[in-house]
Amino acid sequence: MRIAVVAGICPGNHRALAINTVKTAGGFARLGHDVFVLAKRPEPGFTTLDAKHALREPSLRFVTTDVPQHPGMRTDHPRYFRAFGDWAASKARQLGADLVYSRHSFAARACAHAGLPTVLETHNSVIDDWFGCISALRTSATHASMRAVVTISPVLAERYCNVGADAGKIAVVPDAVDPELFARPDDIGASPFAVHGTGLHVVYAGHLFDYKGVPTMLAAVRALRERLPRAVLHLVGGLDEDRQRVAELARDLPVVLHGSVAHRDVPRYLWHADALLLPPEPDHPSAAWTSPVKLGEYLASRRPIIASDIPALKPLVHEPAVAWFRAGDAASLADAIVRTLRDDEPMLRERVQAELAARYSYTNRARQILVAADANALAA
């Protein structure tokens, strides 16, 4: 089949949406399909070739839009999104797509209205219809060409039903990982932490928003100074403004901020960690439905993982693959770090982690999406 993957992303972007979309497209390609990605223009200094290699998906073809992007005013954004959606529907038809997989609500709606078999994936919390999500969801109930609606959590699936989506078309498919990229090899190379001494390296990779667990991590590090004086917290990623804010908060703590790292370079930071942190706070709405990309990446790296016990994570993973701590509780996190660094059954933990990482591969994710869309019927 020829599959058009639509996303309002710029090639070269390394945020979770871009990673998830492009790697899912790669999953379709690994299943033997002809895949092209319809996207915005590359970010400054990038080309589509750079983007393919940065995310390790060399077989994909990018087609970038010529729709001008309205800068500045928020009120301009829906006009651009609609124009991008119309362009994507026209381009998918022109390129002979048998199926459209869209992470862009306006594009999914435009493709379905054009009669193209379409899958909408959204993680939107449906507060309003600013980005066209509610309208696209309702299209699933009025147009047979909207073959499926994919999301990452039963909580979101229920919300979509409540705003008018066809319950029979909703599929819950968690986020995934590229095991080939993140699986730890026998030779893991030089440590990126070597310049920071031979201490215990506790690592978090991702955005540095407070709801991701930054306050709890910093408080836990403060609590560990006497119990584990050699422990260093390494924060990999984050926007410039967030790194500056966190650097100020952590100025008296053993915390190293490594800044933004290209996706293909993230694995070595995980492989050399003594423990990996996944500490989302409990008081953010996403605690009920998040499916973090980093969970799969952590699992594939087969290092000790310490995760907060928010409702969204408990169905996805279990001990001994992770060690749980009470979400938002710095003392509980500090205790979990101490326990984890004394792990006396690493082989059992690593085996379970490898099994879960294989389950959550992008190839399996792509296969589940095609089943939800009844793609065999399209190919017949």
Side-chain angles (χ1 to χ4, degrees):
M1 260 195 326
R2 174 167 282 195
I3 301 176
V5 172
V6 185
I9 60 171
C10 299
N13 187 297
H14 283 77
R15 287 195 169 190
L17 171 62
I19 293 170
N20 186 289
T21 305
V22 174
K23 298 301 289 187
T24 298
F28 293 135
R30 281 185 284 280
L31 290 172
H33 300 288
D34 181 17
V35 183
F36 51 90
V37 181
L38 305 181
K40 292 159 67 174
R41 295 169 181 169
E43 293 196 341
F46 279 86
T47 67
T48 55
L49 184 62
D50 295 329
K52 290 197 294 185
H53 289 293
L55 294 176
R56 297 284 182 92
E57 295 295 348
S59 68
L60 299 181
R61 290 172 293 155
F62 282 81
V63 180
T64 56
T65 182
D66 53 4
V67 175
Q69 183 172 0
H70 298 283
M73 295 293 288
R74 179 179 168 87
T75 51
D76 283 338
H77 290 181
R79 289 204 299 273
Y80 173 75
F81 293 142
R82 288 190 185 93
F84 179 88
D86 290 341
W87 169 82
S90 174
K91 186 60 69 172
R93 181 177 289 283
Q94 178 186 332
L95 293 169
D98 300 301
L99 178 70
V100 175
Y101 163 78
S102 181
R103 288 297 306 268
H104 189 284
S105 294
F106 281 114
R109 186 166 180 255
C111 289
H113 277 266
L116 292 166
T118 301
V119 174
L120 165 67
E121 176 163 354
T122 180
H123 309 169
N124 192 297
S125 56
V126 292
I127 296 171
D128 55 42
D129 201 29
W130 183 266
F131 296 110
C133 182
I134 294 175
S135 298
L137 289 168
R138 289 174 177 167
T139 300
S140 70
T142 59
H143 284 68
S145 50
M146 186 73 84
R147 307 280 295 190
V149 173
V150 172
T151 193
I152 54 173
S153 162
V155 172
L156 292 178
E158 182 177 358
R159 292 182 189 178
Y160 299 163
C161 291
N162 291 340
V163 298
D166 182 341
K169 292 182 179 179
I170 297 178
V172 176
V173 185
D175 278 334
V177 64
D178 180 348
E180 292 184 5
L181 178 58
F182 282 87
R184 191 171 81 252
D186 293 334
D187 180 4
I188 59 176
S191 171
F193 310 131
V195 296
H196 303 288
T198 57
L200 297 168
H201 303 296
V202 180
V203 176
Y204 166 83
H207 275 299
L208 299 179
F209 307 136
D210 279 354
Y211 78 88
K212 296 292 190 179
V214 170
T216 301
M217 286 190 288
L218 296 183
V221 169
R222 185 170 279 108
L224 283 173
R225 281 193 293 193
E226 290 188 7
R227 298 172 68 185
L228 288 175
R230 294 173 54 238
V232 178
L233 174 63
H234 297 270
L235 302 175
V236 182
L239 304 175
D240 289 345
E241 58 267 30
D242 293 317
R243 291 200 300 271
Q244 293 169 9
R245 175 179 54 82
V246 174
E248 180 62 23
L249 293 171
R251 63 184 182 278
D252 63 333
L253 296 172
V255 174
V256 178
L257 287 95
H258 292 265
S260 183
V261 172
H263 184 67
R264 64 172 179 265
D265 295 328
V266 171
R268 67 191 186 98
Y269 287 85
L270 308 187
W271 297 336
H272 286 277
D274 293 293
L276 297 168
L277 302 186
L278 182 58
E281 301 288 351
D283 53 359
H284 189 270
S286 65
W289 51 259
T290 187
S291 173
V293 169
K294 70 173 67 64
L295 173 60
E297 296 172 353
Y298 283 7
L299 289 169
S301 72
R302 304 198 317 277
R303 303 303 299 143
I305 302 168
I306 303 165
S308 61
D309 60 354
I310 59 171
L313 292 181
K314 297 301 285 283
L316 298 176
V317 69
H318 52 79
E319 293 183 331
V322 301
W324 299 110
F325 76 95
R326 287 187 301 277
D329 187 328
S332 178
L333 174 55
D335 289 343
I337 291 172
V338 172
R339 290 197 311 273
T340 298
L341 292 175
R342 295 171 180 163
D343 181 9
D344 57 359
E345 290 191 280
M347 292 182 65
L348 172 61
R349 170 183 53 76
E350 290 184 17
R351 178 177 61 76
V352 175
Q353 287 175 329
E355 291 170 356
L356 287 169
R359 179 191 305 174
Y360 293 132
S361 73
Y362 279 106
T363 303
N364 282 340
R365 183 172 210 276
R367 185 179 289 110
Q368 289 177 266
I369 292 169
L370 294 177
V371 169
D374 194 13
N376 286 337
L378 296 175

